[in-house]
Structure formats: C-alpha cells, structure tokens
Amino acid sequence: MLARLRTESEGGSVLEAAAAAPAPWTTSPSPSLTWLYGPRIRHHRPLSAVPRPRPRPPRVPRLRQAPALGRPRVARQPGEGAGQQGPGLEAAMASVRSSAASKRGQRRSRSEEKLIRQEEERKHLEEEELRLAAEQLEREIVEQKRLEEEERARIAAELLDELQMLLSDTPPDELAEATADQYLHTICNLQDLLSNINDKATDILLQKAIDLVDIETGNMQEVVNDENVTLCLWANFNKNPRFKGYDFVNNHVEFELPRPLAMCDIAVRILHTQYDHISCHIPLFQAQQKAFRNDTILIIEEEQPDNKEPEVEQPDNKEPEVEQTDNKQPEVEQTDNKQPEDIKSKHEIDSKLAIDDDIKRLRPTRTRSALSSSSKDEVLKNKWPSGERSPAHAMANVELLHEYPSEETLDESIVDFNQYTPLGGVYYFDVLKLPPQPKIVNGWRIVQLSETGLQPFSYPLESAKESISSLGTIEERDADNHPVQPVGITIKLPPRALFFEKPTPARWDASGVVWRTDGIHSVTFDAETEQLSFKMDTFNIFTLIQRNYVNMPFQSWDIRPVAENEALLTVHSALVIVEIRIKELCQLCPISVKDNLAHIRGKWMTASSLITCMINAGLNIFPGTESEKYVAKTIKIKQLEHDTYTQMALVASAIAFKWSKWNKNCEQEDIILQACENLTGEAVDEDSWALYLLRPERSQNLNMKESDDEWTRETNEHTEFYSNLYHMMRGHASEAALERILNADHLFFTNVNEMLQATKLLSHTV
C-alpha cells in the first residue's frame, strides 16, 4: 500500500523510515480501511523543506467489529528495527484499548437510557390513553344528555301541538270540562318542561365552555340550532375592558355588552324559540285565541225596542232559533184577519226548521251553545288567582267569552291583544353566571359538579339600582350621566313570520304576566336588510308584535266551487292577496308577497288550526270582536251576518259568491252580495253574476248589475221571494247543482262556515 520512501539520512522523515521496513505483523490494508489511514502518499518533500507538524493525540479509529480492527500502524522511532516495538507503540495500543473500553461503556449506558426512555414513553402513552378515554367518556355522557334533552323536547312539542289541536278543534259540547281542564294543565306542564330543557342545554354547554374557547377572540362563542330553537351563547374568558359586544354573523344576531360587565365571569345567552309559550299564560291572549276557533258562543245582545223585554236564553228542550225568528209571532196568533202576516210567519218558521235540519244533517255533532253564568264564573275563577274575578267579568255586552280589562285600567305600555299579536316566537336575552370550569392537574381533568343549574347574573348592579328610579324619561336614560348603561341587541326578522310594517319590540313582565313596551328605546329598523336594533334597561325576554288589522279592511273577496265538496276562497286584503283551498281540510296557497310561510303553506289542516297558524305567522285576515275600534267596517246586524255565512256554506259546493260595492252603502239590516251557479270550477264571467238583497225577513234578486251607476231596490221580474239566502239558492239552482248541495259533506260545510265566520267578509270589506 505504501510506496518505498527514503530513509532519514537521505532526506526522509522518521515516519517514512519506519514505514519503509515492513513489520512482521503488518498486512496489506484492504480498500475498506482507506478512510482509517487516509489517502496514499504520492509525493513527498525533503524534511528540511517541510515544517515539522505539532504532535497530535493518537487517533482512535471507529470500529464496528473488534476482530476486523487489526493493529494500527504507528511511526517508529529512529534506530528501531523492523521486529522491535518501542514505547510509543505500546502507549498507542494502551490508548486504543482504553478508548474501546470507554466506548463499550458508553454504548451500554445509552442502551439503558433508551430502555428507560421507552419505559417512560410507554407509561406516558398509557396515561394519555386513560385521559383520552376519560374525556371521551365525558363527551359521550354529555352528548347522551343532550340527545335525551332534544328527544324530550321533541316529544313535548308534539304533545303540545296535539293537545292544542284537540282543544281548538273539538266542539265544547263534545269535550268534557274535566278533560279540557286536564288538557290545559298538561299544556302548562309541557311548556314548563320545554323551558327547563332549554335551560339544561345551556347549562351543559357552559360547564365545558373552556373547551370551546376561540383562539382569536379568547372567549367562547357557540351556536346550536335546530328546526325550532336557535341558541347563541357567549362566555367571557378574555375579560377585555374594551370589549363592546359580539356579532353572530351567520345567525344575524348581535348584542352590545355594558362596560361594567366586561370584567365579570358571565355568559350571555340569546335563545330564540320559534314557538311562543309565554303569551299563553295571559288571559287576554287566551280569550283572543278563542275568537277564531270553531263556532262562536252566541251571547248577542242587540238593541231592543222600548216595549220589548231582552231575549233570554231558551231551555234545552226548545228550539231557540224558531222562537227568535219573528218577534211579531204572538201578535199574529191573536189576530185572525191578518192572513198575509200569518202566512209569512209560518213560512219563515218552516224555512228556519228546514235550515236547521240541513245543518244538523251536515254537522250532527256541532251545535251552538252558550255558557251558563255559573260555568262562566267557574272559568273566570280558574283563570285568575286567589278566586278573584277578572276585570272583564263586569262586561256583559260581549259577543264571545272574553276577559278584557276595561280601558280605564289598561296601561298604555301593556300590549293589548285586541290590537297586537306577538310574531316570530320569543327571544330569551339573559346574562348568566359562568359556572366553574374544568382544570387539568397532572394530566387529569377535574370538574367541579354543581346541581344549582343556571344562575342569573344580577344587572343592573346593586350599586346602581338605587339611582335608577330617579330617571324616568327616555331622554334621561339616554343621557351621559345615566348610572346604568343599557344593553343593546340587533336581530334579523324571524324567518317564519310576515311583517307588513315596522315591528315593535315588547318585553316580558313576569310580575304582571303581560308584555310591555316601556323600558325599550333607541329602536331602529332597516327595511332592506330587515335588521331591527334597540336597547333595553336590562336583560329580558322580548318578542316582536304587529297590529292585527294591518291588512284590513278588505278590498274584495270571492268564494267559488272548484269541484264537488271543494271551494277556493280569495281575499284581497289591504296589502296581500290570500287564497285558501277548502275541502275536508283547508290549505293555504302561495301569497303575492315575500313568502315566509313555508311551514304552513301547502299543508292540509282544519280550518281552526289554519286560522291560528296564520294569525301566529302575521297573516291575519280574521277580525276580532272589537275590530270597530281599530279599523273601518260596515255595520250589519250580527245575527243576519252570522246566518248568511252559514247559508253560504251550505250551498258553497255549487254556488259562487262575490262581494258587492253596494253593500257598504246600504242600511244595517241589508246585505248585498253577488252569486252565480258554477259547476265547472272555472272563473265566472262578469255578466253571469247576479245581485241579491238579504234582509232579516226575506231575500230577493235585484234587477240591476254590479256595474250600474245608481242603486235601486227594484226586484227582478219572474222571481219569487224567499225567506233567506239558502232557500233562494236552492230555488234557482239546476238539478245538478241541487244534487251537489244535498250531497255536501259535513266536514266541507264546517270548514267553509268556520272560515267565513272568522273572516267576516260582509262587514269588513269596504
């Protein structure tokens, strides 16, 4: 391997001389050991020309296997022979042996360290697996609780809807009083259950709020929603004194936090429920809902002549309709020579009996009834605590059983359900105490359990409550020196309600069990984005209200048969056109404005259920009993109007009816409408309509058209007088139309009658 070198006497180095004489133990190095000895020396210089390098410590080779090491080559001292080993070589060999031993000791220590490290990693992995399993179990328990609460809420909501449908659709004489009271009690319990479920869901999220903290904001903001509930929850962990509020962008909800709460351990909850289980606790709301359900409870007190006594309720074994038909009947019986009046009275009695027979045939189970005074006292006693009577008990002249307080005692800030209706559900705007959060100690999660549930946070603070009472006006509340900063909120209008005007927010007063509009100020509304912003003195439950009569009075209306036992009612209200298809059930057709009624549009339901759903959705075309105080109407005799709707329903399967512009100009005891036979289901030609004049004692066909310029009472030639609309339509009907009328289904008649009675088209179209 090495080239022959010159000896020291010839100018070579000691290393070269030692390398020139091969030792007996040397062997030819293999190419694999080239890295150990370095490259071959090709050229050399005389010793005098090359400076002598400093001695370096012996180089210890890195050997993988001991047998392949061999003996390292070292430089010989001058004068040493080829077979002799000097002290330098022995020192080098000792150094190599000690280095190898130290290396073997290092390898053993590293192996032990590796084993120790592997053992520690194994223990750490086991602890991590245990921790993850515990966290997974905790998450599964929380998720199971949440699913159980959701299932309970779903079942409670279904039961609530079913009970409300039973109460609204079942006639009073078919539902026992004890059963109705039991249903009402169950409804109250279900409503409380839904509220408790929502509180438990909020508490579950707040107990693990630390796990849901947003990295960017340092706080927790979480949104949970389903078909009926939307929960927006914010927890204060960052405690930034400059924090002003948060915007849940995807849910279009934003709140403004008062400055004193920015450094507190609080959580803000905005819970929106599509249903309203708050207003049902108000007696006024209950009474208003009854106004649109089923047949009206007739307690009508018309103005009586001076020489007549007020009509009293008839016994059950007599026909009240017959005896109330003609007040002159006793006078006719005493005078024998008044043959025309006697014949007319007898004819009216027979016609009334015939109508009653047809009504009983079509609706054998639905009869008109009136509550006795004792039963009314019992209902009012149950509605009000401590056996007290409601302020409405003193009001005798009512058409329905209402419990309205008198106008003198009604506060202007209290929402009057005769004029307003809550829409879009209920918003819970609460500030809550943040519960203790889990802590990680030595890899374990420690949770402090609490059975108290949600804890409200008192705001305004105690230090500021004393100075609030001195500031009463809105201007003073908005002043800079106001001791309590108001809370602000911005929401988008609910998607399941129609708002035809700027909505009004109202807050819930739990002590008075009413909705109130005071304590709310700085209300702004953007019609393009449908964003409503306002401020309140404190956190509270609120809702949005709208006037009941925003779509009244009506512009026109018509109802025409589409097929046998099927009709289409069209109402042109002040702002929208409403179409309702009526069969054994009723269906709301698409409307002409922005349609937010997908949850009820196109679904078949009973007339009373559809009426309630439309009112709660803001599409109110159903006047109340005190509508004359809020909207212009045409005054008509109530009994005549009520009977006309019933007679129209009896023949609605074959006869089309339409409004007349002359109806509002005639007297109170007159009703004018257009009618025409229609068996094809298509729209009726304008020339085919005929005008009819309805009076309490007779009905007649007028000899004029709707398009005429002057009003006349001239009767059409070759027509007979009839006692009412029902007999007149039967007398003018063809055989096919008469067969349809006689074969009318009682469910179809009931739905048409309820819809006409609720809309009151004859008196609220101008």
Side-chain angles (χ1 to χ4, degrees):
M1 174 180 176
L2 298 177
R4 295 181 179 179
L5 302 176
R6 290 178 298 176
T7 62
E8 183 178 2
S9 60
E10 295 178 355
S13 62
V14 177
L15 179 61
E16 294 172 352
W25 49 267
T26 56
T27 58
S28 299
S30 61
S32 61
L33 298 178
T34 304
W35 61 273
L36 179 61
Y37 298 98
R40 295 181 180 181
I41 299 176
R42 299 288 185 179
H43 303 281
H44 60 87
R45 295 181 181 181
L47 185 61
S48 59
V50 178
R52 190 179 298 272
R54 295 181 180 179
R56 296 181 179 178
R59 183 177 181 183
V60 180
R62 296 180 181 178
L63 303 178
R64 297 183 180 274
Q65 297 180 358
L69 288 176
R71 296 181 180 179
R73 295 187 178 185
V74 295
R76 292 181 179 180
Q77 295 295 331
E80 293 181 348
Q84 297 179 356
Q85 296 180 356
L89 182 59
E90 294 177 357
M93 293 297 295
S95 176
V96 169
R97 286 193 295 269
S98 62
S99 299
S102 63
K103 285 293 182 180
R104 287 195 297 271
Q106 289 181 1
R107 283 200 299 272
R108 286 196 298 268
S109 62
R110 288 181 179 177
S111 300
E112 293 175 357
E113 291 177 357
K114 183 177 181 180
L115 293 175
I116 295 173
R117 187 167 53 253
Q118 291 178 353
E119 183 69 17
E120 292 177 353
E121 291 179 356
R122 184 182 62 80
K123 292 181 179 180
H124 179 70
L125 290 176
E126 290 179 356
E127 293 178 355
E128 186 69 16
E129 290 177 357
L130 290 175
R131 186 182 65 82
L132 293 176
E135 292 182 357
Q136 180 66 21
L137 180 61
E138 181 184 357
R139 285 193 295 268
E140 290 178 356
I141 293 175
V142 172
E143 184 67 16
Q144 183 67 22
K145 289 181 180 179
R146 187 183 65 82
L147 294 176
E148 290 177 357
E149 297 298 333
E150 289 183 356
E151 183 66 16
R152 293 175 62 191
R154 184 187 64 81
I155 295 175
E158 291 180 356
L159 290 176
L160 190 62
D161 293 340
E162 184 176 354
L163 289 175
Q164 290 178 345
M165 183 182 65
L166 287 175
L167 288 176
S168 62
D169 293 342
T170 306
D173 55 346
E174 292 185 18
L175 190 62
E177 184 178 358
T179 305
D181 293 340
Q182 183 180 2
Y183 287 172
L184 290 174
H185 183 69
T186 305
I187 287 175
C188 295
N189 292 337
L190 290 174
Q191 291 163 353
D192 295 337
L193 177 61
L194 287 175
S195 180
N196 294 334
I197 289 174
N198 294 329
D199 292 342
K200 287 183 179 180
T202 305
D203 190 22
I204 291 173
L205 288 176
L206 288 180
Q207 288 179 1
K208 60 174 183 177
I210 191 68
D211 299 333
L212 304 174
V213 171
D214 188 7
I215 299 177
E216 297 181 358
T217 62
N219 298 319
M220 187 274 284
Q221 47 268 349
E222 190 72 14
V223 177
V224 179
N225 53 13
D226 58 12
E227 183 180 359
N228 296 317
V229 178
T230 300
L231 174 61
C232 299
L233 198 60
W234 176 87
N236 189 17
F237 288 100
N238 195 10
K239 295 183 177 59
N240 185 2
R242 298 183 179 180
F243 181 81
K244 296 182 179 180
Y246 185 78
D247 183 8
F248 295 91
V249 180
N250 296 332
N251 299 90
H252 309 287
V253 176
E254 180 182 0
F255 70 90
E256 181 180 345
L257 190 70
R259 185 177 299 175
L261 298 179
M263 299 296 294
C264 300
D265 292 331
I266 61 168
V268 176
R269 178 181 71 166
I270 305 175
L271 175 64
H272 177 214
T273 59
Q274 299 289 348
Y275 48 85
D276 179 8
H277 57 275
I278 299 293
S279 301
C280 57
H281 296 286
I282 306 175
L284 283 173
F285 183 79
Q286 292 282 6
Q288 184 70 10
Q289 290 291 312
K290 291 179 182 179
F292 311 106
R293 294 174 179 172
N294 297 325
D295 294 339
T296 56
I297 302 175
L298 296 179
I299 316 176
I300 304 175
E301 294 189 2
E302 301 288 349
E303 295 183 358
Q304 302 291 340
D306 297 337
N307 57 347
K308 292 288 183 179
E309 294 294 331
E311 295 182 4
V312 297
E313 189 178 351
Q314 299 294 332
D316 296 337
N317 56 354
K318 295 184 179 180
E319 285 288 342
E321 294 287 339
V322 178
E323 297 187 4
Q324 294 176 2
T325 303
D326 193 356
N327 295 331
K328 297 181 180 180
Q329 181 179 353
E331 191 176 1
V332 173
E333 293 178 355
Q334 295 176 0
T335 307
D336 296 334
N337 55 357
K338 294 184 179 180
Q339 295 295 331
E341 287 80 0
D342 192 5
I343 296 174
K344 183 182 69 173
S345 300
K346 186 176 183 302
H347 180 67
E348 291 179 356
I349 293 174
D350 295 338
S351 62
K352 284 288 185 179
L353 289 174
I355 294 178
D356 291 341
D357 293 338
D358 290 336
I359 294 177
K360 290 178 180 179
R361 175 181 59 83
L362 293 176
R363 191 184 54 185
T365 59
R366 294 184 178 240
T367 57
R368 293 180 353 200
S369 61
L371 293 179
S372 62
S373 59
S374 61
S375 61
K376 287 187 288 183
D377 292 342
E378 186 67 23
V379 170
L380 297 176
K381 184 184 297 183
N382 294 333
K383 289 290 184 180
W384 291 79
S386 303
E388 297 178 359
R389 292 186 178 184
S390 66
H393 184 68
M395 300 178 64
N397 297 327
V398 293
E399 183 177 357
L400 299 177
L401 182 59
H402 287 273
E403 294 142 10
Y404 301 133
S406 61
E407 296 181 358
E408 291 78 6
T409 61
L410 186 62
D411 190 357
E412 294 181 356
S413 61
I414 297 178
V415 176
D416 182 11
F417 285 98
N418 290 322
Q419 188 176 3
Y420 295 97
T421 298
L423 298 180
V426 176
Y427 291 84
Y428 291 80
F429 189 26
D430 305 323
V431 57
L432 308 169
K433 293 181 180 179
L434 192 62
Q437 296 300 305
K439 298 180 180 179
I440 305 299
V441 179
N442 295 330
W444 287 94
R445 182 184 181 91
I446 300 178
V447 182
Q448 180 180 350
L449 300 180
S450 176
E451 300 296 336
T452 57
L454 291 181
Q455 295 294 320
F457 189 90
S458 179
Y459 185 82
L461 303 178
E462 296 296 336
S463 58
K465 287 183 178 180
E466 298 178 356
S467 55
I468 297 179
S469 58
S470 60
L471 301 177
T473 63
I474 296 178
E475 290 76 8
E476 292 174 341
R477 291 191 182 100
D478 294 336
D480 296 335
N481 59 352
H482 193 280
V484 177
Q485 295 184 4
V487 296
I489 188 168
T490 301
I491 61 173
K492 189 176 182 179
L493 296 185
R496 293 189 181 182
L498 286 176
F499 291 90
F500 297 95
E501 59 184 6
K502 176 182 176 180
T504 303
R507 64 178 182 88
W508 175 247
D509 182 9
S511 59
V513 198
V514 291
W515 292 105
R516 304 182 66 94
T517 57
D518 57 348
I520 301 176
H521 51 89
S522 304
V523 182
T524 59
F525 178 67
D526 188 352
E528 295 182 358
T529 61
E530 296 184 346
Q531 296 283 342
L532 179 67
S533 302
F534 59 91
K535 294 183 178 181
M536 295 187 293
D537 294 339
T538 183
F539 294 85
N540 211 330
I541 302 173
F542 67 89
T543 187
L544 305 179
I545 59 176
Q546 182 176 253
R547 290 188 301 117
N548 295 335
Y549 304 98
V550 65
N551 271 302
M552 304 177 199
F554 308 132
Q555 306 300 318
S556 63
W557 62 269
D558 66 84
I559 179 171
R560 60 182 178 86
V562 178
E564 186 175 1
N565 293 322
E566 182 178 357
L568 181 65
L569 173 63
T570 304
V571 179
H572 293 255
S573 63
L575 301 175
V576 66
I577 301 176
V578 181
E579 292 184 347
I580 300 175
R581 189 174 297 273
I582 306 174
K583 298 170 67 174
E584 292 82 2
L585 297 172
C586 299
Q587 182 190 71
L588 177 65
C589 301
I591 58 178
S592 57
V593 297
K594 182 180 179 180
D595 193 354
N596 290 351
L597 307 178
H599 59 291
I600 60 175
R601 175 177 42 81
K603 296 183 179 180
W604 292 97
M605 60 187 74
T606 61
S608 56
S609 299
L610 180 60
I611 290 171
T612 303
C613 291
M614 291 175 63
I615 293 174
N616 295 334
L619 189 60
N620 192 347
I621 57 172
F622 311 101
T625 56
E626 299 183 2
S627 58
E628 63 274 1
K629 297 181 180 179
Y630 311 102
V631 65
K633 60 177 291 187
T634 302
I635 305 300
K636 300 295 179 181
I637 298 177
K638 295 181 180 180
Q639 188 65 49
L640 176 62
E641 182 181 0
H642 179 273
D643 294 341
T644 302
Y645 295 139
T646 304
Q647 296 162 18
M648 291 171 61
L650 288 170
V651 299
S653 182
I655 307 298
F657 296 96
K658 188 178 181 180
W659 77 288
S660 174
K661 64 181 180 181
W662 304 107
N663 183 52
K664 63 180 180 180
N665 298 326
C666 61
E667 300 177 356
Q668 297 184 12
E669 60 272 12
D670 295 342
I671 292 179
I672 301 177
L673 52 77
Q674 302 181 70
C676 177
E677 180 179 317
N678 185 5
L679 302 179
T680 61
E682 299 178 356
V684 181
D685 188 17
E686 291 296 331
D687 296 335
S688 301
W689 293 101
L691 277 178
Y692 292 89
L693 173 63
L694 313 178
R695 296 180 61 86
E697 68 278 0
R698 65 175 60 182
S699 300
Q700 60 190 40
N701 184 11
L702 297 179
N703 189 23
M704 62 174 299
K705 292 292 185 180
E706 180 70 16
S707 58
D708 291 351
D709 297 332
E710 296 182 359
W711 161 255
T712 177
R713 288 179 175 269
E714 182 180 354
T715 306
N716 194 3
E717 297 180 0
H718 309 292
T719 58
E720 299 179 357
F721 289 98
Y722 293 90
S723 61
N724 51 57
L725 177 66
Y726 172 73
H727 288 90
M728 184 167 55
M729 292 296 101
R730 288 187 57 176
H732 294 173
S734 62
E735 294 183 0
L738 185 59
E739 183 179 359
R740 273 196 183 184
I741 293 174
L742 296 178
N743 295 331
D745 184 75
H746 70 279
L747 293 177
F748 170 74
F749 159 75
T750 300
N751 290 327
V752 175
N753 186 31
E754 290 181 1
M755 199 61 66
L756 294 177
Q757 299 284 356
T759 51
K760 296 181 175 61
L761 300 172
L762 296 174
S763 58
H764 287 78
T765 304
V766 297

